[in-house]
Amino acid sequence: MTQGIKDKIVVVTGASSGLGEATARLLSAQGATVVLGARRADRLQALAKDLESRAGKALALTTDVRLREQVKALVDSAVQTYGRIDVMVNNAGLMPQAPLERLKVDEWDRMIDVNIKGVLYGIAAALPHMQRQKAGHFINVSSVAGHRVGPGFAVYAATKYAVRALSEGLRQEVKPYNIRTTVISPGAVATELPDSVTDPDASTRIRTFYEQTGGGSGRLVRTGGCLRDEPA
Ligand SMILES: NC(=O)c1ccc[n+]([C@@H]2O[C@H](COP(=O)([O-])OP(=O)(O)OC[C@H]3O[C@@H](n4cnc5c(N)ncnc54)[C@H](OP(=O)(O)O)[C@@H]3O)[C@@H](O)[C@H]2O)c1
């Protein structure tokens, strides 16, 4: 997957921690120019500085993926600064899981806004540029939960099923523009993701699960799941 990465312009949402940060670090080390979006500006700036100190090229823009104009500004900045966008990694997400009967409706809204609408805003921002370029690649981050539903996971899983559905529709529609679409469905990876769980029972359950599957606290130790690459 790292072949041909050198000098590619890659936009990554949710780049301030976890998988997004790791993706930015890996691609930067492979010679890509990375454009980093997330809300925590301090983390983004520190990452950009660190990548630049290792001879990488990075641009950091504070971005809330719930706001369409901010996602557009992130992608437009990439194009204005570097002339194009080669890859859009729609990675930002959160997972405040809890049983439906707890009625954590605000958390349902947030998951829908970030995990589904954030991806759609990423598509809306990058697609016109990629169509004009007649080239591009969307990488959308789903989850094993986008293939299987478990107790406490209903809304999170629904958002990740939605990411797969959107990606499949996108894949079918954008082939004439030479745009590729990839879905990644990670298993349990130790990141800050469980921090968004507010339900005490779910929090205990998810931390135990992450510990059992190679997780821990805030360290990327291993990927426990599959990598899914939808054919172009
Ligand atoms: N870790 C796993 O086990 C696992 C498994 C399957 C799928 N995934 C998926 O992988 C993706 C990355 O998660 P992670 O595990 O790396 O968790 P993480 O460490 O918590 O990272 C989540 C990232 O999303 C960003 N984010 C959250 N809300 C945002 C918003 N409104 N606007 C912009 N950025 C926002 C966060 O940045 P700010 O807070 O700075 O905005 C952070 O950079 C998610 O889509 C997640 O569902 C993870």
Side-chain angles (χ1 to χ4, degrees), residues 187-208:
V189 185
T191 65
E192 297 173 22
L193 197 66
D195 296 353
S196 61
V197 180
T198 60
D199 182 74
D201 297 338
S203 178
T204 305
R205 200 173 52 244
I206 193 76
R207 283 183 193 287
T208 307

Side-chain angles (χ1 to χ4, degrees), residues 57-70:
K57 275 204 254 172
L59 181 68
L61 264 103
T62 310
T63 308
D64 186 333
V65 299
R66 293 171 297 183
L67 303 174
R68 182 182 171 186
E69 63 277 14
Q70 290 194 7

Side-chain angles (χ1 to χ4, degrees), residues 1 86-89 130 135-139 179-182 229:
M1 286 197 62
D86 295 305
V87 185
M88 178 74 194
V89 184
M130 292 183 181
H137 191 168
F138 285 98
I139 299 180
I179 299 170
R180 298 183 69 210
T181 305
T182 295
D229 192 350

